[in-house]
Amino acid sequence: MFSPELLSVPNLSNFTQEKYHILVAELAKIDRSTVENELTELPSTFSYYHGLMIAAKRNLDESRIIQNTWEASFRDNERTEKKWAVAALEDRCVSQKEYMELAENVLRNDLIYGLVRSICQTLDHKKDMLVQLSANIRQETKLYA
């Protein structure tokens, strides 16, 4: 079975779509001769990636909070300096370089969270396939025994 250590992701910021594709290709593989082994190793693998998913979700939530806080502060500062129409203030806010950088960070964290969540879903599907294969193998053994 694929070892999570092969993909070193201590910091989720270096997790890319390329790494995701390599990882999912490895994680989704099933060797029919080692089904029972894979079933026993799957919980720790799932737990590892579920932990990464929780960390990715936290990063996403934090980046949204930072963006919202900056946005509120910017609007508050602009309102005290000049009377703005709501739409004009919104346009001014979202056109700022800082806002765009924060929005890009939210998008990047959303992508990472989605990729790691997809890995967890892949592992869940793999579990179902392994359970079915295990049942099929036991059934075949009974037929030929």
Side-chain angles (χ1 to χ4, degrees):
M1 175 152 214
F2 180 75
S3 172
E5 294 79 41
L6 292 179
L7 179 68
S8 171
V9 190
N11 181 349
L12 284 167
S13 64
N14 70 2
F15 191 66
T16 62
Q17 282 185 298
E18 292 75 27
K19 286 182 180 179
Y20 165 79
H21 291 296
I22 293 167
L23 185 58
V24 167
E26 287 298 317
L27 287 172
K29 286 181 185 176
I30 293 178
D31 180 359
R32 287 183 60 100
S33 66
T34 61
V35 169
E36 295 301 322
N37 240 10
E38 289 191 49
L39 271 170
T40 59
E41 292 174 6
L42 195 60
S44 63
T45 304
F46 183 84
S47 178
Y48 174 82
Y49 289 104
H50 196 267
L52 279 181
M53 183 178 74
I54 291 167
K57 177 68 167 123
R58 180 185 171 118
N59 290 346
L60 174 59
D61 291 344
E62 285 178 351
S63 63
R64 284 183 175 148
I65 289 168
I66 291 168
Q67 181 187 24
N68 292 339
T69 303
W70 181 89
E71 201 173 334
S73 176
F74 179 84
R75 288 180 180 165
D76 191 45
N77 290 338
E78 290 295 305
R79 262 190 232 109
T80 59
E81 291 180 15
K82 182 179 173 185
K83 187 89 170 163
W84 290 92
V86 173
L89 184 56
E90 174 70 18
D91 291 345
R92 179 147 169 72
C93 181
V94 298
S95 67
Q96 299 301 303
K97 180 183 175 196
E98 295 89 351
Y99 179 88
M100 290 185 216
E101 290 169 356
L102 292 169
E104 177 62 33
N105 193 41
V106 169
L107 289 174
R108 185 175 32 260
N109 284 326
D110 191 37
L111 173 67
I112 291 169
Y113 170 66
L115 293 175
V116 179
R117 196 173 98 218
S118 179
I119 290 170
C120 289
Q121 291 169 337
T122 298
L123 290 169
D124 195 42
H125 289 298
K126 183 175 183 175
K127 174 202 56 141
D128 294 341
M129 292 172 63
L130 287 169
V131 167
Q132 186 60 50
L133 283 171
S134 178
N136 291 351
I137 290 169
R138 284 193 306 275
Q139 202 59 358
E140 287 172 8
T141 303
K142 286 181 185 177
L143 286 175
Y144 299 111

